[in-house]
Amino acid sequence: MKTSTINYQNIPVAAMALDMDPKDLEAKLQTISKTEIPETEIRDLLTVKDIAFRGDFSERQVARWIADGKLKSVRFGRRCVRVQVTEWKRFLKGGK
C-alpha cells in the first residue's frame, strides 16, 4: 500500500491560491493522507516494461516468459501485451 506525504511548508501558499483557510486545508490534507490506496486498484494490468522494472529483469526475458506460456498475458493487438497483477504475483511465487 502506498501513502502520500504532505509538505506542510507549502500549506499557506496553497491555501491562499485556493482561497481557503490554511487550517481547513491542513485538516482536509490530513484526512486524505491517511487514506491508503491498494496498488491493484490503481492499475490492474502491467506492461512488459513495468514487469521488467519491478523485477529487475530485461524486457526480453519477460517477453520470453510470455512466449513460452510461463507468464499468462492478455493481447490487445500485435504489439500491445499486458499482464494482470494477480498473474504477476502468482508467477513470482512460483505458482503454476
Side-chain angles (χ1 to χ4, degrees):
M1 303 239 186
K2 296 180 182 180
T3 57
S4 59
T5 57
I6 300 171
N7 185 352
Y8 288 98
Q9 294 174 342
N10 295 332
I11 288 179
V13 176
M16 190 169 61
L18 294 170
D19 224 9
M20 293 178 68
D21 183 34
K23 291 181 181 179
D24 292 340
L25 180 60
E26 185 174 351
K28 281 188 177 186
L29 289 173
Q30 286 176 345
T31 59
I32 291 171
S33 68
K34 291 179 183 175
T35 305
E36 294 184 350
I37 303 169
E39 188 176 341
T40 54
E41 285 183 16
I42 295 171
R43 204 164 152 192
D44 291 334
L45 298 174
L46 302 171
T47 64
V48 170
K49 186 180 271 189
D50 290 336
I51 292 171
F53 178 77
R54 288 172 180 225
D56 198 26
F57 306 111
S58 70
E59 291 179 35
R60 183 68 188 131
Q61 182 62 46
V62 176
R64 280 190 201 111
W65 290 331
I66 292 171
D68 292 344
K70 294 178 182 177
L71 182 61
K72 294 178 185 172
S73 64
V74 179
R75 289 198 176 269
F76 292 102
R78 203 175 92 213
R79 294 175 54 190
C80 185
V81 178
R82 300 291 186 265
V83 176
Q84 292 181 343
V85 173
T86 54
E87 174 62 23
W88 172 239
K89 288 179 181 179
R90 182 205 58 80
F91 180 79
L92 286 178
K93 291 180 183 176
K96 298 272 178 181

